[in-house]
Amino acid sequence: MKTYVPKKAEIDHAWYVVDATGMNLGRLASDIARVLRGKHKAIFTPNADVGDYVVVINAEKIAFTGRKASDKTYYRHSGYPGGLREETLETVLRKHPERVLETAVRGMLPHNSLGADVYRKLKVYRGASHPHEAQQPRSLAEAFGAGKTGARYTSPTSSEE
């Protein structure tokens, strides 16, 4: 039996939406990274982009365990001597709540050009609204089925809001 390799025309990129309200950062980020890569599909191929799009709403309401809000530090460097900057999770969440989840998911994706392509399919929004209603996104629970992972996610629809 030969190994099946999906063709570009055979790959269907679905859209999923997840409400981050009260969800733990790490668990949510790992599940999102799994869907972005396409590991939840039977046609997963490590060297091809077979994953789906993920829209995250209410990023400002994400939950953390322990004292991460004050202890977790994000670093960046300007490239100049003495240009190291650091911010706590609390500060980043107040200024740019989208970046917290984006950074966590980005760290879980491959650090190459395929990872960059996959990362572009993540859409994170601060509030409850998003401009992707035309794509008719489904709940992230549908990507995982009825198992433990799928049970974590409820389906936010526009009629509930």
Side-chain angles (χ1 to χ4, degrees):
M1 185 168 186
K2 293 192 177 223
T3 303
Y4 173 73
V5 179
K7 315 297 184 281
K8 203 164 198 141
E10 298 171 351
I11 300 170
D12 179 37
H13 298 288
W15 284 74
Y16 294 102
V17 65
V18 61
D19 187 354
T21 304
M23 303 200 76
N24 289 335
L25 175 64
R27 281 186 194 272
L28 180 60
S30 63
D31 289 343
I32 290 172
R34 188 171 159 210
V35 172
L36 289 172
R37 288 275 329 259
K39 287 191 164 192
H40 64 292
K41 295 181 175 182
I43 63 166
F44 172 69
T45 306
N47 63 336
D49 181 9
V50 296
D52 297 325
Y53 290 83
V54 177
V55 178
V56 181
I57 57 175
N58 292 321
E60 62 197 6
K61 298 176 184 173
I62 200 159
F64 309 100
T65 56
R67 298 186 309 206
K68 286 189 184 76
S70 59
D71 293 352
K72 186 170 178 61
T73 309
Y74 290 95
Y75 297 97
R76 65 181 194 276
H77 199 284
S78 67
Y80 290 97
L84 183 65
R85 302 287 182 256
E86 57 183 57
E87 286 182 310
T88 63
L89 174 61
E90 196 173 39
T91 309
V92 175
L93 191 63
R94 191 176 34 212
K95 291 181 184 176
H96 307 283
E98 309 89 10
R99 288 189 193 165
V100 174
L101 188 60
E102 288 171 351
T103 304
V105 172
R106 180 66 184 116
M108 296 179 186
L109 295 175
H111 301 289
N112 54 27
S113 58
L114 177 63
D117 290 344
V118 169
Y119 176 68
R120 285 188 202 101
K121 294 189 296 186
L122 173 65
K123 316 293 181 188
V124 183
Y125 297 98
R126 178 183 301 227
S129 63
H130 62 86
H132 304 287
E133 289 297 328
Q135 283 74 25
Q136 299 173 343
R138 298 176 290 173
S139 170
L140 193 62
E142 293 180 31
F144 295 114
K148 277 186 175 179
T149 306
R152 278 199 286 263
Y153 304 102
T154 58
S155 59
T157 60
S158 56
S159 60
E160 292 177 5
E161 294 174 3

